[in-house]
Amino acid sequence: MSNKDDVKEFLTSRRANVTPDQAGLPTFGDKRRVAGLRREEVALLAGVSADYYTRLERGNLSGVSEQVLDALARALRLDDAERSHLFDLARAATGPVRGSRRAPVSKVRPGIHRILESLTTPAYVRNARTDILAANDLAIALYGDILDRDRMPLNLANFLFLDQRAPAFFLDWETVADDSVAALRAEAGRNPHDKSLTDLVGALATRSDEFRVRWARHNVKHHRTAAKRLHNALVGDIDLTGEAMELPGDGLVVITYTAEPGSPAAEALRFLSSWASRTGEPSPQTAAE
């Protein structure tokens, strides 16, 4: 899709999410074809003319000032991720800048590998297109036969939407799928000229109806923390908290899984850690069969 199409569909979808009551606007009992705001109502709330807002919603954000973008974000009640995405779309509307066609990071520094192995929780490193590039032993034990050092990188989006094992592993698959697509949509806004990301999205949209429906929603999200319910072949269902820690200089993110102290999940992680420290063991999946 072009930048104009992305802008049009993003603004239209956000406008549809805000009701007049939420915006504090009177309706006087008028009948509406849709629940969301009308264009002229967004214009009123943002302090711009209806004609000007119509031009923006048709996809023309080139040259729009930060003050207007801030006003739009307030009028549409955008959260932090949505506001950042709006600004990213506006920057992209001015055309590519030097260095904007950079390839995704595909290697992890030795120091980051050492950090991973020093952690006592499951942890892995991924890039912006959700490729898992490195993982510690406990993460590999947690993921079972899904994650293998000899088969990295593993693309998480591909796994979620194209691997039949995904719903059995991620017990809240719908939520994880929503969040994954929202994170990819946000990354596409930040780096619209990343060909590898465009190719990934195109392939998933072609092969997965579940992905295509979610991509069309134009939802965006910052991946920071989330509850994760996973199923491991050795320890069964396990409730963990995922935390994302960005490495801005490397263009990478470290994902860790932690458990509440004294919980069954903490005990399960201790068991997996003991299992992972042994040598010559079969994979968790094989051991359970």
Side-chain angles (χ1 to χ4, degrees):
M1 294 178 68
S2 68
N3 175 262
K4 283 191 173 183
D5 289 333
D6 281 338
V7 171
K8 177 182 177 181
E9 295 192 14
F10 179 69
L11 290 178
T12 300
S13 64
R14 299 314 97 173
R15 175 164 62 87
N17 287 343
V18 183
T19 66
D21 285 344
Q22 290 173 326
L25 294 174
T27 59
F28 304 109
D30 58 343
K31 295 182 179 180
R32 292 172 173 256
R33 288 177 294 178
V34 295
L37 298 176
R38 296 178 174 130
R39 285 177 176 175
E40 57 268 25
E41 290 171 333
V42 177
L44 175 66
L45 292 168
V48 299
S49 71
D51 286 343
Y52 183 65
Y53 176 73
T54 297
R55 180 173 73 85
L56 299 182
E57 196 176 281
R58 286 175 177 167
N60 190 355
L61 287 185
S62 179
V64 177
S65 69
E66 289 190 9
Q67 290 80 0
V68 170
L69 293 175
D70 274 328
L72 278 181
R74 289 192 298 271
L76 294 171
R77 303 171 67 89
L78 303 185
D79 62 22
D80 288 345
E82 291 169 327
R83 182 184 180 278
S84 295
H85 188 60
L86 177 63
F87 275 73
D88 288 336
L89 291 174
R91 278 189 287 272
T94 65
V97 297
R98 185 186 300 273
S100 65
R101 297 179 184 273
R102 66 182 185 275
V105 178
S106 59
K107 292 184 179 180
V108 178
R109 291 186 289 112
I112 304 302
H113 279 286
R114 289 193 292 270
I115 290 173
L116 278 183
E117 293 305 328
S118 71
L119 296 175
T120 58
T121 61
Y124 64 79
V125 176
R126 65 164 176 79
N127 61 16
R129 68 189 299 272
T130 72
D131 293 325
I132 295 181
L133 304 176
N136 64 12
D137 290 343
L138 191 47
I140 290 175
L142 178 64
Y143 271 67
D145 65 347
I146 294 166
L147 198 56
D148 185 330
R149 283 195 177 90
D150 293 333
R151 296 198 299 266
M152 288 188 195
L154 167 73
N155 184 267
L156 278 173
N158 274 333
F159 173 70
L160 274 168
F161 292 100
L162 303 180
D163 195 314
Q164 62 183 0
R165 298 172 296 173
F169 179 69
F170 289 110
L171 300 180
D172 295 319
W173 183 89
E174 294 280 346
T175 299
V176 176
D178 289 345
D179 291 349
S180 175
V181 175
L184 283 176
R185 173 64 81 173
E187 180 60 25
R190 284 189 293 270
N191 296 299
H193 305 290
D194 182 341
K195 186 177 183 302
S196 69
L197 180 59
T198 301
D199 290 345
L200 173 65
V201 169
L204 286 170
T206 300
R207 300 175 63 188
S208 170
D209 291 339
E210 294 278 9
F211 179 87
R212 185 165 56 252
V213 168
R214 287 169 169 79
W215 187 255
R217 293 172 185 162
H218 285 262
N219 292 334
V220 292
K221 182 175 182 178
H222 291 156
H223 193 148
R224 291 170 179 151
T225 182
K228 298 288 186 181
R229 296 177 61 241
L230 311 177
H231 179 81
N232 177 271
L234 278 180
V235 300
D237 298 351
I238 182 169
D239 295 332
L240 302 171
T241 299
E243 299 285 353
M245 298 177 289
E246 293 188 7
L247 303 174
D250 295 84
L252 298 171
V253 178
V254 177
I255 303 294
T256 64
Y257 289 120
T258 61
E260 287 288 335
S263 67
E267 181 61 32
L269 285 184
R270 280 193 292 272
F271 178 84
L272 282 176
S273 179
S274 175
W275 181 91
S277 67
R278 304 173 198 162
T279 59
E281 296 280 0
S283 73
Q285 186 67 38
T286 303
E289 293 174 351

